Amino acid sequence: MVGVLTVYVWARNTGRAPGERLASSDGIRYLKIAQQGYDGFAEVQSDMAFFPLFPGLVAVLDRILPLDAQDVGLIVAWVAGLAAAWGLFAIGAHLHNRRTGVLLAALWAALPHAVVQSMAYSETLFTALAVWTLYALLRGYWVTAGVVCLFAGLTRPTATSLIPVVGLAALLAIVRRRDGWRPWAAALLAPAGWLAYVAWVGSVVGRPDGWFHIQSAGWGSTFDFGLDTLRRGRLALANPTAAQLFVVSVVLLLALMLFVLSVLDRQPWQLLLYSTLMLVTTLGTAGYYHSKARFLLPAFPLLLPAAVALARAGWARAVTVLVAMAAFATYFGGYLLLIWKWSP
């Protein structure tokens, strides 16, 4: 709320519309899909690269609510943010205690790119679905995990980091003959959304790898095992560079550090595997270096070591850290939307 209010005041004082800034860049694509449907592979950078659940929800609610599509897109993102925060609290409380749950949600809300959580983007919706999928897995709610993962697969391509976690957990339960038919249901449901959309894009494009073709040929996004990320990171750190690129570089280094701490803390393997695949997917894919910190917003288990440490440190220290983080995130959110010229 502080970040959105800051963007609102900052935008108004510079003669720009706050709502348009919160629905800019990829948000424009999502709103176009919601209002007009997909472009049918008619453009070089086809919007079929964007998965359908977020624009689909906007399209449905736009027909029901007396608001324009831009406002509906922001409402969907904000509701998803509340659902994500609730899920983060639930996981933190389940694994440790209520204080850890509160701090896990607060840390996620105070990340440098936290303004994206309030934009008409799909990261927040995917985070909410990923959080509740993993919570359901940890609690043994197999059907719930499968259904929620199905919807996550319709939200972002990075569901490929979540689906294997559900599949492996279900496989282990099946081998051990636990919980009857429910793990089978989870294993079948989890990949259904992602596979259905990729298959549909393939049918429209006229080739089985249609979605991947759009990503590589149209958007220049291919998996190169991190070579492009290393090259761009070296350039960002070795030359005068924009604040966005420097912050992204620092976030990526911190993410790797937090992953090592997560391993040392012996997090549940479900969370570790999800974080591993998120890091591999994000760092290993070429292109869009300036957006990689945003792509890692759903990698919430990386924040657990910090949440646990702050919970043990006491409220005074925790509040001090969170206020400092929130202050930077508030400024940086305004920078991303009102000074930086490209997608966050």
Side-chain angles (χ1 to χ4, degrees), residues 122-130 152 155-156 158-159 162 274 278 298:
S122 63
E123 276 84 0
T124 305
L125 178 60
F126 179 76
T127 301
L129 295 169
T155 306
R156 288 190 63 78
T158 45
L162 183 64
Y274 173 68
M278 283 292 299

Side-chain angles (χ1 to χ4, degrees), residues 39-54:
D39 58 29
F41 197 47
E43 302 177 15
V44 174
Q45 290 189 323
S46 171
D47 59 21
M48 287 193 294
F50 296 83
F51 276 54
L53 185 60
F54 182 84

Side-chain angles (χ1 to χ4, degrees), residues 176-268:
R176 295 168 182 170
R177 298 183 179 181
R178 291 173 43 198
D179 299 328
W181 58 270
R182 292 177 178 81
W184 288 94
L188 293 173
L189 288 168
W194 189 89
L195 290 174
Y197 182 68
V198 170
W200 177 79
V201 173
S203 68
V204 173
V205 176
R207 49 188 294 175
D209 64 340
W211 184 84
F212 300 95
H213 174 68
I214 289 172
Q215 283 286 86
S216 59
W219 294 89
S221 184
T222 58
F223 191 81
D224 69 347
F225 298 93
L227 295 178
D228 182 69
T229 300
L230 287 173
R231 179 181 65 82
R232 293 293 302 275
R234 180 179 62 82
L235 290 173
L237 294 175
N239 296 282
T241 188
Q244 160 72 331
L245 299 182
F246 181 78
V247 171
V248 167
S249 302
V250 172
V251 168
L252 297 184
L253 291 172
L254 289 174
L256 293 172
M257 178 197 73
L258 289 169
F259 176 74
V260 173
L261 293 177
S262 299
V263 174
L264 295 175
D265 285 352
R266 298 181 180 181
Q267 276 185 20

